[in-house]
Amino acid sequence: MPSYNAAFYASTIFAYLIHSVAANTCSQVGALGLNIKRSPSIEYLTEQNNYWSTGCGALKPACILYPKTANEVSAIVQVLHDNNETFAVKSGGHNPNEGFASIQGGPLISTKELNEVTFDSTSMTVRVGPGNDWEDIHKALQDTGVTVVGGRIGEVGVGGYVVGGGLSFLSAEYGWAANNVVEFEVVLANATVVTASSKSHPDLYKALKGGGNNYGIVTAYTMVAHPIGQIWGGNLMFSGDKAPQMLAAVRNFTENYPDEKAGIIMTAELTALGAVDIWIMFLFYDGPTPPPGVFDMFTNIGPIVNNCKTRSYYDLLKYNDFAVVKGSIYTITTETVPLPSFENGAEVMGAIYNNWRNTTKGILGVAGVIGSIAFQPIPKRLARKARELGGDLIDLDDDVDRIVIEFNYSYLFDIDDKTVDQATQQLYKGTRNLVTGFQQSGKLPDAYLPLFMNDWCESYFRQDYFARLRTADFARGVRDQYDPSGFFRDRTKGWKL
């Protein structure tokens, strides 16, 4: 009993000290005149409700800080240095990994007020702040005749998306979103504000393109502006029994990528007790109508719904927000698969799909569960375009076509966290084992298969993102140069080197 009491009192004192430090940070930042909100203010509660996953919103920060400039972010970082505590930075709140953009008890830095959208027609660039969602940016640019390479759902935030690489409907045409960044304005671990570009801090510039939150807090992105007019897009829906045709079609589309202006996401959905069993496709074409034949391999299967039409890019991204299921806990994980040959396609694609389907059927009793698998083509032309634009940490080669596969569960109650966690692990581990087995049998090519950090999909917190990057040594060296004390490594959660 005495040892128990000692442990109890020690833990109580530790918790008190942590709370006191957080409270001190909140007070010190408030004393600087910066915008700060605490519970139960409306702003605080609204921010906490603005996570895609309620599991993240359930974590309660001691306060929420709203810097409006890079210098204010710098001031916050300096206070955090002095108080030596854990913190988090939030952009759109899309990442479902708890603690990555959310925090219990510590300060949360919201980038909401860093919401600049400025088009410079002379340089053909757009300066955007990390506090924007992509629909905010496209709405602001609607009448300019230009766009930037960004997310495929309007409610996805800018911040984490870009430093994770950023897969876009425009990526086959223009590369990852990160390849389209001309400059990063970033607050470093020592609280200095620098501009990272191909000419200034070029090593940091490259590391930020796929390096996540390891190097600093980005306060602005200057991105290439691309011309755009009316686009075409929407959804096709198919019954669940169309799996063989759908899998064959996405394989063929990826290998024979018909047009760099085209983009797709192909998903299958299963819901609690098997009430819904469907395929939903997201289609995009950078033009008012796609040429004949671009999407025929899908439309020939016979969709039960086809709402694709000519519209503005903003309208499409805003419409795609329907895919966000509010009021649920999320887990998301990914795997990268080399494209199988036509001869082996049915076996390989079918095995991956069946692993998802069988695993998901095993948890359909979980309250409110929705299971989703998404197939996202990464054609060779995307890899070539990324390299032409200076490269990034992902460092794809064009030796093979690839498909990034996302697995997504949403469900209602945290009592099911363990069950869903086990199923999520079975999805990415099972897929990885299938890929390895097919490579050993010669049914899949050996290939470099990095994980994908951020976009519509994320790696799961249990996955080791950097272990799968062949640029990890470079990334680590840049981190050690710009954050030698491990400020972001030790004080924030995320995928760390």
Side-chain angles (χ1 to χ4, degrees):
M1 183 63 73
S3 61
Y4 170 81
N5 285 338
F8 172 79
Y9 287 123
S11 63
T12 302
I13 292 171
F14 179 75
Y16 171 78
L17 290 173
I18 291 297
H19 177 77
S20 297
V21 170
N24 194 37
T25 293
C26 297
S27 298
Q28 286 182 293
V29 171
L32 295 174
L34 276 63
N35 189 9
I36 178 172
K37 300 298 178 183
R38 295 180 173 87
S39 181
S41 70
I42 292 175
E43 294 88 349
Y44 179 102
L45 298 175
T46 299
E47 191 76 55
Q48 288 303 103
N49 287 329
N50 191 31
Y51 284 101
W52 282 31
S53 175
T54 58
C56 295
L59 302 180
K60 305 302 182 187
C63 63
I64 304 177
L65 313 176
Y66 291 93
K68 296 181 179 180
T69 66
N71 286 336
E72 289 190 356
V73 175
S74 173
I76 291 170
V77 170
Q78 188 59 62
V79 170
L80 286 166
H81 263 295
D82 295 341
N83 288 333
N84 191 29
E85 63 176 312
T86 302
F87 65 97
V89 182
K90 178 188 178 188
S91 176
H94 173 224
N95 193 308
N97 291 301
E98 294 175 15
F100 282 35
S102 54
I103 192 165
Q104 178 64 41
L108 174 68
I109 303 171
S110 170
T111 61
K112 183 178 179 180
E113 299 297 327
L114 295 165
N115 58 359
E116 177 183 2
V117 183
T118 304
F119 170 49
D120 184 338
S121 59
T122 302
S123 64
M124 282 299 288
T125 60
V126 183
R127 181 177 162 97
V128 302
N132 291 291
D133 290 344
W134 286 106
E135 62 191 36
D136 302 324
I137 293 171
H138 293 299
K139 185 175 183 179
L141 295 176
Q142 259 198 119
D143 298 325
T144 65
V146 302
T147 191
V148 293
V149 178
R152 297 167 293 176
I153 294 182
E155 290 187 5
V156 169
V158 169
Y161 170 93
V162 177
V163 294
L167 179 58
S168 172
F169 282 134
L170 296 165
S171 284
E173 198 171 2
Y174 301 123
W176 307 110
N179 301 135
N180 288 266
V181 177
V182 177
E183 292 180 349
F184 296 90
E185 179 185 80
V186 56
V187 178
L188 300 177
N190 63 4
T192 60
V193 182
V194 302
T195 297
S197 69
S198 61
K199 297 180 180 179
S200 173
H201 305 283
D203 50 355
L204 178 62
Y205 174 62
K206 181 176 180 179
L208 285 167
K209 295 188 285 185
N213 67 348
N214 287 279
Y215 303 100
I217 301 173
V218 179
T219 53
Y221 304 83
T222 302
M223 305 186 72
V224 177
H226 297 286
I228 199 165
Q230 290 286 94
I231 60 88
W232 177 94
N235 299 116
L236 304 179
M237 295 178 61
F238 305 82
S239 57
D241 60 357
K242 300 292 188 181
Q245 299 98 308
M246 299 298 291
L247 296 172
V250 74
R251 194 219 72 84
N252 295 340
F253 183 89
T254 304
E255 182 177 45
N256 306 298
Y257 212 85
D259 193 321
E260 68 176 10
K261 294 179 179 291
I264 68 163
I265 309 167
M266 192 179 82
T267 76
E269 317 287 333
L270 276 176
T271 67
L273 304 178
V276 175
D277 182 0
I278 58 173
W279 290 85
I280 302 175
M281 284 196 68
F282 296 76
L283 274 66
F284 168 86
Y285 188 81
D286 185 10
T289 55
V294 173
F295 298 113
D296 285 2
M297 62 187 71
F298 302 108
T299 55
N300 288 344
I301 297 172
I304 54 179
V305 171
N306 182 346
N307 60 25
C308 296
K309 63 180 183 179
T310 304
R311 55 178 86 188
S312 71
Y313 198 15
Y314 166 74
D315 178 64
L316 177 65
L317 265 64
K318 185 69 177 173
Y319 164 77
N320 283 347
D321 286 342
F322 83 86
V324 183
V325 179
K326 300 290 187 179
S328 294
I329 303 170
Y330 274 85
T331 67
I332 303 178
T333 188
T334 72
E335 257 304 334
T336 307
V337 179
L339 193 72
S341 66
F342 177 82
E343 292 75 16
N344 296 317
E347 181 181 359
V348 173
M349 301 290 283
I352 293 169
Y353 172 78
N354 288 335
N355 177 59
W356 166 76
R357 192 172 180 89
N358 293 335
T359 302
T360 302
K361 282 184 174 181
I363 63 167
L364 287 183
V366 168
V369 71
I370 301 174
S372 175
I373 182 172
F375 298 83
Q376 303 178 87
I378 309 294
K380 295 175 182 178
R381 69 171 68 206
L382 194 165
R384 286 195 291 269
K385 181 64 67 174
R387 290 199 164 191
E388 289 169 6
L389 293 171
D392 46 72
L393 281 192
I394 302 167
D395 194 36
L396 285 184
D397 53 62
D398 63 358
D399 295 347
V400 297
D401 296 300
R402 299 168 176 86
I403 295 180
V404 169
I405 300 180
E406 174 211 333
F407 304 100
N408 181 325
Y409 287 129
S410 60
Y411 57 104
L412 294 178
F413 305 118
D414 60 8
I415 59 172
D416 294 312
D417 283 352
K418 183 177 180 180
T419 297
V420 177
D421 173 52
Q422 291 173 342
T424 301
Q425 291 188 62
Q426 175 55 35
L427 293 178
Y428 74 80
K429 291 179 180 178
T431 302
R432 181 69 169 166
N433 290 339
L434 286 168
V435 169
T436 301
F438 282 126
Q439 287 176 323
Q440 291 172 347
S441 67
K443 294 180 178 179
L444 275 179
D446 288 330
Y448 168 56
L449 300 174
L451 289 172
F452 193 51
M453 183 189 288
N454 238 340
D455 173 36
W456 180 297
C457 52
E458 270 88 13
S459 297
Y460 198 42
F461 72 96
R462 297 186 184 279
Q463 294 177 282
D464 192 343
Y465 169 78
F466 282 100
R468 298 275 290 272
L469 288 185
R470 57 187 173 196
T471 55
D473 288 342
F474 168 80
R476 186 175 295 106
V478 177
R479 182 206 61 189
D480 292 345
Q481 178 184 352
Y482 287 92
D483 187 8
S485 66
F487 178 73
F488 290 108
R489 180 195 65 207
D490 300 334
R491 308 274 292 281
T492 62
K493 285 190 175 182
W495 292 282
K496 301 299 180 181
L497 287 149

